[in-house]
């Protein structure tokens, strides 16, 4: 990753009309519908953006969509890159750097996750307050990282407290259950064993998934305020573990999605 590459990616998008977006949004598995609500959309397929990671076959819907949401210029990533698809940490966080260079001031992230905290139910949304990186690496561990932002990025409060407070108030007003907790990121793509779910609970995780943390680390390195939510698609009870079915996870994410869309729309309105 070089500054020249970032400049070329950014120039390509600006040439298509991606002018000064204020907000960037990353949509997780089964959570792509918000992108369809963007007004006056301009689309850029990942495979057409210079230096974007090359999309795999199963990833054909990946695109950046620019337009207006609640009157604010927004750029949405419909589909993200995961380590489990064979990409590396620099690949999966490249789009965050591009959105930052386009000018976003805030980043919203969503993902589908399993509930480790058994007080939470399938179908709940969890506001991420903190995280545990179990992906065995960092998107900041490369030569010259200091030219792009902080190398020793502080992670004392990686999720913006102001936007978190606003989201809690919105959820109350909209009567949407919003749990709060710690998200642990694993590489995947295999799901966890019973022993791993027990460990995740012991170390303090409330939810587990295969994304988000690398993007959040890079956003902190770029000093970009973040708000992130997990849509809880299954309950990970090690003493009563049923096989999870990815199709079912996607289906449940789709059912919860309208609530997540409402939270994000109201949050944009309030900013
Ligand atoms: N682990 C367990 N359950 C899940 C996950 C995961 O990574 N993602 C969504 N549900």
């Amino acid at each position: 990753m070089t500054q020249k590459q970032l400049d070329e990616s950014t120039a390509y998008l600006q040439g298509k009309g991606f002018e000064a977006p204020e907000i960037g949004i990353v949509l997780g598995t089964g959570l792509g519908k918000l992108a369809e609500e963007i007004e006056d959309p301009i689309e850029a397929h990942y495979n057409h953006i210079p230096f974007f990671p090359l999309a795999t076959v199963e990833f054909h819907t990946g695109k950046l969509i620019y337009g207006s949401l609640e009157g604010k210029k927004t750029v949405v990533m419909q589909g993200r890159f995961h380590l489990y698809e064979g990409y590396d940490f620099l690949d999966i966080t490249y789009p965050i750097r591009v959105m930052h260079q386009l000018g976003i001031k805030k980043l919203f992230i969503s993902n589908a996750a399993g509930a480790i905290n058994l007080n939470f139910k399938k179908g709940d949304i969890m506001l991420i307050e903190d995280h545990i990186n179990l992906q065995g690496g960092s998107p900041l561990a490369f030569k010259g990282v200091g030219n792009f932002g902080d190398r020793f990025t502080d992670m004392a409060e990686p999720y913006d407290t102001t936007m978190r407070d606003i989201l809690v108030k919105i959820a109350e007003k909209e009567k949407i259950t919003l749990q709060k907790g710690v998200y642990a990121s694993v590489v995947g793509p295999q799901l966890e064993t019973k022993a791993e779910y027990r460990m995740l609970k012991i170390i303090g995780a409330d939810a587990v998934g295969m994304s988000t943390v690398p993007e959040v680390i890079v956003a902190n390195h770029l000093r970009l305020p973040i708000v992130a939510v997990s849509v809880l698609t299954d309950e990970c009870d090690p003493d009563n573990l049923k096989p999870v079915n990815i199709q079912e996870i996607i289906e449940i994410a789709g059912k919860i999605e309208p609530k997540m869309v409402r939270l994000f729309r109201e949050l944009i309105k309030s900013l």
Side-chain angles (χ1 to χ4, degrees), residues 143-155:
K143 283 179 193 150
V145 65
N147 298 326
F148 298 93
D150 303 324
R151 178 190 292 274
F152 299 105
T153 294
D154 187 72
M155 295 293 279

Side-chain angles (χ1 to χ4, degrees), residues 112-114 186 191-192 197 208-210 233-234 236 244 249:
V186 294
L191 280 299
E192 292 69 35
Y197 284 135
V208 59
M210 304 172 190
T233 53
D234 52 298
C236 307
V244 290
I249 286 182

